Amino acid sequence: MKRKAGSVCEAVDTRMSVRGFTDQPVDGTTIRRVLEKAARSPSGGNLQPWYLYVVGGDDLQAFKAIMATRVKEAPTGEGPEYTVYPPGLKSPYRDYRFQVGEDLYDLLGVPREDKVGRMHWFARNYQFFGAPLALFCYVDRQMGPPQWSDLGMFLQTLMLLLREEGLDSCAQECWSLYHRTLKGFLNPPDELMLFTGMSIGYIDQADPVNKLRTRRAALHDFARFRGI
Ligand SMILES: Cc1cc2nc3c(=O)[nH]c(=O)nc-3n(C[C@H](O)[C@H](O)[C@H](O)COP(=O)(O)O)c2cc1C
């Protein structure tokens, strides 16, 4: 067995949160194959604590229609099941969060004062940015932070494998705000709780939102080295 991988770099480098998709459908065989591969992700004790729902076709259309109404009825959501960002988020994390928001809305030409415009744009999350496929990642309520981090490993592996298929994605924890409506639609067992949604499909290159190349902290800001 060859012990050196080909190029993970290209997948890592080209993965980005895509927020504008074409309506080209994603083949059911492809997504099943990618998910089977992604299941090679590591997890502490090999617990494999991810549980997924994948929705496409008419089912997705039906769910989008439900969400279009729901977002109008409850524009700020139904109350999340978990706190997405810690209250009083400190620097530098709050600065990074602020910056990515500013960069995104600058690109879209929606100024800070235009709260309605920004909310309106944010609501595109709930139409999966036009993607033909939606994925929802749940976790058993018994699980704690170590297993939640396993979900992250699974999801990143998945997003990289999608790149190999020419597909793009956007992880969407904003779905936590509508976990009740989602539960009504997917009917997961009570012991499961939603971590995140994800839009999956083919990038719309003409959509200006996809020009966003997010920033990253410099290596010396997040790593210290000793003896090397
Ligand atoms: C777990 C997770 C949840 C996210 N939730 C959302 C979301 O609800 N809506 C959204 O537009 N982007 C969401 N994002 C995308 C992040 O904003 C994005 O990953 C970050 O700004 C870095 O940009 P990049 O993915 O293009 O590299 C999420 C990303 C992750 C990893």
Side-chain angles (χ1 to χ4, degrees):
M1 186 183 160
K2 192 172 91 171
R3 290 302 305 153
K4 187 175 173 189
S7 169
V8 182
C9 282
E10 196 184 348
V12 171
D13 198 49
T14 61
R15 188 222 52 85
M16 54 176 269
S17 295
V18 163
R19 299 184 178 89
F21 293 87
T22 68
D23 54 13
Q24 184 183 341
V26 177
D27 183 53
T29 321
T30 306
I31 190 65
R32 283 177 177 84
R33 183 176 61 240
V34 169
L35 287 172
E36 275 177 350
K37 285 186 189 169
R40 294 305 308 169
S41 301
S43 54
N46 202 20
L47 260 58
Q48 306 162 70
W50 40 83
Y51 196 90
L52 311 171
Y53 289 87
V54 184
V55 187
D58 290 346
D59 287 60
L60 188 62
Q61 291 311 322
F63 184 57
K64 281 185 185 180
I66 293 171
M67 281 310 299
T69 310
R70 194 68 194 120
V71 166
K72 279 189 198 127
E73 287 165 358
T76 56
E78 304 161 340
E81 261 197 307
Y82 66 92
T83 312
V84 176
Y85 301 109
L89 188 65
K90 60 188 178 185
S91 282
Y93 314 106
R94 68 195 297 269
D95 312 318
Y96 297 156
R97 187 182 171 204
F98 179 82
Q99 187 70 60
V100 74
E102 288 308 293
D103 288 349
L104 177 71
Y105 289 116
D106 265 5
L107 195 71
L108 298 167
V110 188
R112 209 165 169 68
E113 317 73 68
D114 186 3
K115 300 271 184 247
V116 177
R118 287 193 171 194
M119 251 181 90
H120 195 75
W121 212 94
F122 187 78
R124 289 181 60 174
N125 268 287
Y126 302 112
Q127 295 294 310
F128 304 96
F129 305 113
L133 203 65
L135 175 143
F136 298 97
C137 178
Y138 280 80
V139 64
D140 196 292
R141 290 173 198 281
Q142 188 182 39
M143 304 301 172
Q147 291 78 41
W148 280 60
S149 90
D150 295 337
L151 301 184
M153 289 192 225
F154 176 88
L155 294 167
Q156 168 72 340
T157 306
L158 167 62
M159 292 190 284
L160 297 181
L161 288 166
L162 287 169
R163 289 303 305 117
E164 200 175 57
E165 298 283 350
L167 286 159
D168 277 286
S169 59
C170 184
Q172 297 173 282
E173 58 203 353
C174 65
W175 279 102
S176 64
L177 293 174
Y178 291 96
H179 66 96
R180 287 197 180 86
T181 301
L182 196 57
K183 187 171 167 67
F185 184 75
L186 296 174
N187 200 22
D190 287 342
E191 67 256 30
L192 289 185
M193 117 178 228
L194 178 73
F195 166 41
T196 189
M198 186 184 286
S199 298
I200 297 173
Y202 295 92
I203 189 170
D204 179 357
Q205 303 272 14
D207 193 327
V209 73
N210 291 329
K211 300 227 167 357
L212 181 69
R213 177 78 178 167
T214 50
R215 306 169 197 231
R216 292 297 187 270
L219 180 61
H220 60 78
D221 285 329
F222 68 88
R224 292 285 175 274
F225 298 91
R226 292 177 58 157
I228 186 168

